[in-house]
Amino acid sequence: MAKKTTTDDPLAPLTLAVGQEDLLLDRAVQQVVAAARAADPDTDVRDLAPDALQPGTLAELTSPSLFAERKVVVVRSAQDLSADTIKDVKGYLAAPAEEITLVLLHAGGAKGKGLLDAARKAGAREVACPKMTKPADRLAFVRSEFRAIGRSATPEACQALVDAIGSDLRELASACTQLTADVEGTIDEAIVGRYYTGRAEASSFTVADRAVEGRAAEALEALRWALGTGVAPVLITSALAQGVRSIGKLASAPRGARPGDLARELGMPPWKIDRVRQQMRGWSADGVAMALRAVADADAGVKGGGDDPEYALEKAVVAVARAARSGRG
């Protein structure tokens, strides 16, 4: 997922990893170290926190060696370096030493921006390591993990994994590795469900899926499991709202349109169009309006407008499931 600019050579004199996603920052370091040790197994690696890099330390670490050894010097949280040490680093950037790769990890932002600008001006190889706050970014990350491993996973499986694991990239990466190690062939949603039973069933989107399908008992069971495992009530109301809105969007879309065209028009991936199309059987326009009102009431209840968030969610789930049958006559 990390994006690279300027040069793709991990043995460039300077690599600048920018962002706050710890897994991607660590991978940027690991890539440089692996390349250096492939070139020289005896490469010396120094991994330093800001307080370990005092004025004069970088000059010591990068001074010529009698044995001309290759060295990788990693500086973490470079935005927190002292002003004097930043001067040292900037001075080094003007004349980097041979056989030495300097890796600066910087959070980005205003703090330490002078060093960031100096590194870029010096022609640093840059690796972007942004915090992945959006579900779509995490979904793209999971897909890229499977591609990097050389295995295929269905879109539904990738989504199920994100729903089950959540926002921790390390856990998502670990889950991709585990699944590909244990399972042959294409990884599908059923496989993810078997491996992550409980976590997957406790996700807010599972509650929403069962509710918009009109399966009230299963939705309530999933709701109780979700709440019992610590899923935030506001995430459940959000998933319910998203599920009902998707029904409404697709119901008002032109009939006969292809999934790809609908995906672009409605802002949904094609596989989700197919899923929502199955879920919308039994819905009516009045049912969508009724469900949205129920979810809005629950959302207000879980955000402090009611005494019992759990009861507010149960009412919403039942109302949505009932609305899913409103068009069946």
Side-chain angles (χ1 to χ4, degrees), residues 156-268:
E156 294 85 355
C158 294
Q159 184 65 62
L161 199 57
V162 172
D163 291 346
I165 302 296
S167 60
D168 191 314
L169 286 201
R170 290 187 190 280
E171 287 197 33
L172 285 169
S174 176
C176 292
T177 301
Q178 179 185 8
L179 288 169
T180 53
D182 292 355
V183 177
E184 295 182 0
T186 299
I187 294 159
D188 60 20
E189 189 176 14
I191 291 169
V192 174
R194 283 204 305 272
Y195 270 74
Y196 296 95
T197 297
R199 293 181 74 169
E201 290 176 359
S203 78
S204 55
F205 289 104
T206 300
V207 177
D209 282 343
R210 299 296 84 78
V212 300
E213 290 161 3
R215 295 153 66 180
E218 292 177 43
L220 287 171
E221 182 181 355
L223 172 65
R224 294 185 191 108
W225 196 314
L227 293 172
T229 54
V231 176
V234 70
L235 294 181
I236 298 172
T237 56
S238 176
L240 285 168
Q242 184 177 324
V244 176
R245 287 194 196 102
S246 296
I247 298 285
K249 282 183 180 180
L250 193 55
S252 60
R255 293 186 178 276
R258 293 179 301 178
D261 295 333
L262 284 173
R264 285 188 292 275
E265 183 178 340
L266 303 180
M268 300 179 193

Side-chain angles (χ1 to χ4, degrees), residues 21-329:
E21 189 60 69
D22 289 340
L23 174 65
L24 300 184
L25 291 167
D26 285 345
R27 284 185 172 181
V29 172
Q30 290 163 8
Q31 185 185 32
V32 172
V33 171
R37 287 190 167 150
D40 180 357
D42 296 324
T43 295
D44 182 19
V45 178
R46 303 295 181 93
D47 198 324
L48 307 170
D51 56 0
L53 197 66
Q54 299 298 321
T57 305
L58 185 61
E60 259 180 58
L61 292 173
T62 57
S63 59
S65 166
L66 289 175
F67 304 103
E69 64 181 355
R70 182 177 290 276
K71 189 178 291 185
V72 175
V73 178
V74 180
V75 180
R76 296 185 182 269
S77 301
Q79 72 279 357
D80 295 330
L81 292 171
S82 69
D84 288 338
T85 303
I86 287 176
K87 287 180 184 177
D88 282 357
V89 176
K90 287 181 176 178
Y92 174 79
L93 296 180
E98 291 185 13
E99 300 298 311
I100 291 178
T101 299
L102 177 63
V103 184
L104 297 178
L105 275 55
H106 195 293
K111 189 177 183 182
K113 189 172 184 300
L115 178 58
L116 197 59
D117 292 342
R120 286 169 172 160
K121 188 175 180 181
R125 165 184 177 264
E126 186 168 339
V127 183
C129 306
K131 199 77 176 173
M132 294 191 183
T133 57
K134 296 178 181 178
D137 291 339
R138 294 191 286 274
L139 182 59
F141 172 79
V142 167
R143 288 171 175 162
S144 73
E145 286 294 291
F146 283 123
R147 282 197 300 270
I149 297 170
R151 293 290 299 280
S152 60
T154 66
E156 294 85 355
C158 294
Q159 184 65 62
L161 199 57
V162 172
D163 291 346
I165 302 296
S167 60
D168 191 314
L169 286 201
R170 290 187 190 280
E171 287 197 33
L172 285 169
S174 176
C176 292
T177 301
Q178 179 185 8
L179 288 169
T180 53
D182 292 355
V183 177
E184 295 182 0
T186 299
I187 294 159
D188 60 20
E189 189 176 14
I191 291 169
V192 174
R194 283 204 305 272
Y195 270 74
Y196 296 95
T197 297
R199 293 181 74 169
E201 290 176 359
S203 78
S204 55
F205 289 104
T206 300
V207 177
D209 282 343
R210 299 296 84 78
V212 300
E213 290 161 3
R215 295 153 66 180
E218 292 177 43
L220 287 171
E221 182 181 355
L223 172 65
R224 294 185 191 108
W225 196 314
L227 293 172
T229 54
V231 176
V234 70
L235 294 181
I236 298 172
T237 56
S238 176
L240 285 168
Q242 184 177 324
V244 176
R245 287 194 196 102
S246 296
I247 298 285
K249 282 183 180 180
L250 193 55
S252 60
R255 293 186 178 276
R258 293 179 301 178
D261 295 333
L262 284 173
R264 285 188 292 275
E265 183 178 340
L266 303 180
M268 300 179 193
W271 66 265
K272 189 171 184 181
I273 295 288
D274 293 335
R275 174 182 284 183
V276 175
R277 195 171 261 156
Q278 293 174 351
Q279 292 174 334
M280 67 185 287
R281 295 168 186 161
W283 280 87
S284 67
D286 288 342
V288 171
M290 180 179 74
L292 286 174
R293 284 195 298 272
V295 174
D297 289 343
D299 192 54
V302 303
K303 291 178 178 175
D307 296 328
D308 189 342
E310 185 172 333
Y311 177 62
L313 285 170
E314 287 179 356
K315 280 181 61 179
V317 165
V318 171
V320 171
R322 187 179 295 127
R325 299 189 296 272
S326 61
R328 295 178 186 174

